[in-house]
Amino acid sequence: MSIVLITGGSRGIGAATALACTRRGIGVILTYNSNPDGAAGVVDRITEAGGTAVALKLDVADNTSFPAFGEDVRAALQTTWGRTTFDYLVNNAGCGLYNPITTVTEAQFDGLFNVHLKGPFFLTQTLLPLIADGGHIVNMTSATTRVATAGVAPYASFKGGLEVLTRYLAKELGDRRIRANSISPGAIRTELGGGLNDESENLLAAQTALGRVGEPEEVGTAVASLLADDNRWINAQNIEVAGGFNI
């Protein structure tokens, strides 16, 4: 059985990805920070579907916690699957901020940087010894790196940095046959940044070729599909899953 580790797996796109991977027979380690009940609920749904999952606490903004988290992962692999490695890492955990550049504070800037770029960089570095050769890293980026949306400059900037990091991971890990790609969602119905209201949803739907916002399951299915061996020659790419956003 292949195993995937998904950060921010207690809700939204992370939870949908965990369930999509389960349907493909992949074991799941998901992380949560402030939502243990949500994580437990996802684990229960996976178990009910005949899959195997473990939920571990992780604050991706706190890189000092990563060595201990790595040991937690190592223990979970051995206890639950009798393995010493896992196959796929999905850097998904995130948070939102909708402020114009003129009002963003340094603390807000640093907080987003820690979650969306510094965290994935050093978490991936920490977990590389546990990722099996021939594995795959998927970083969750954003369509806001391509289409400027007022109020999300720091978020989009760090997601853009994560896209660049993805290409460097693919380059430097090629000798281990580890692929690295990024998935770039458009407007998705999640709780990020407080979620969508009717006005914002209608606006985003009008900017999307398919005339609606996306659902977390549509992104989760795309991630699970990308992990499959059928897509083993896709590497160092950013794939937009956005329904034709602002084209």
Side-chain angles (χ1 to χ4, degrees):
M1 172 185 285
S2 298
I3 302 168
V4 62
L5 191 158
I6 304 166
T7 66
S10 66
R11 67 185 82 186
I13 290 172
T17 300
L19 292 164
C21 287
T22 296
R23 290 191 291 272
R24 292 173 177 266
I26 301 172
V28 176
I29 299 174
L30 61 92
T31 78
Y32 66 91
N33 184 18
S34 60
N35 188 24
D37 291 341
V42 176
V43 169
D44 287 344
R45 291 176 65 186
I46 290 172
T47 302
E48 290 166 4
T52 306
V54 174
L56 300 176
K57 182 172 174 54
L58 171 68
D59 180 359
V60 296
D62 180 13
N63 64 295
T64 64
S65 69
F66 294 169
F69 174 73
E71 291 305 312
D72 290 342
V73 171
R74 192 185 304 273
L77 288 169
Q78 182 61 49
T79 301
T80 306
W81 291 280
R83 286 188 53 179
T84 58
T85 61
F86 64 95
D87 303 280
Y88 315 123
L89 171 63
V90 180
N91 284 309
N92 165 77
C95 59
L97 173 71
Y98 295 95
N99 280 1
I101 291 171
T102 54
T103 66
V104 174
T105 67
E106 186 174 356
Q108 291 170 329
F109 183 97
D110 289 345
L112 288 171
F113 172 70
N114 289 339
V115 169
H116 293 290
L117 188 52
K118 182 178 179 180
F121 185 103
F122 286 104
L123 180 63
T124 301
Q125 181 190 76
T126 298
L127 294 177
L128 276 174
L130 299 179
I131 299 176
D133 289 353
H136 193 175
I137 298 167
V138 176
N139 292 320
M140 198 65 63
T141 60
S142 172
T144 58
T145 65
R146 182 177 63 84
V147 179
T149 303
V152 296
Y155 172 88
S157 297
F158 302 138
K159 288 297 192 182
L162 191 57
E163 286 185 15
V164 174
L165 174 60
T166 301
R167 293 194 292 273
Y168 276 84
L169 288 169
K171 183 70 171 179
E172 295 192 16
L173 300 178
D175 59 346
R176 292 183 54 191
R177 295 175 291 105
I178 293 176
R179 293 186 293 138
N181 292 289
S182 57
I183 290 282
S184 179
I188 306 295
R189 196 189 312 280
T190 71
E191 299 174 26
L192 185 69
L196 301 175
N197 56 36
D198 290 343
E199 180 181 1
S200 62
E201 180 170 339
N202 290 336
L203 176 63
L204 291 167
Q207 293 176 295
T208 303
L210 294 181
R212 63 175 176 84
V213 301
E215 302 296 337
E217 292 74 20
E218 292 171 309
V219 182
T221 300
V223 176
S225 175
L226 185 59
L227 296 177
D229 284 345
D230 289 348
N231 290 312
R232 61 186 175 274
W233 202 236
I234 299 176
N235 193 24
Q237 301 302 304
N238 180 61
I239 301 169
E240 187 167 296
V241 182
F245 182 64
N246 211 12
I247 56 174

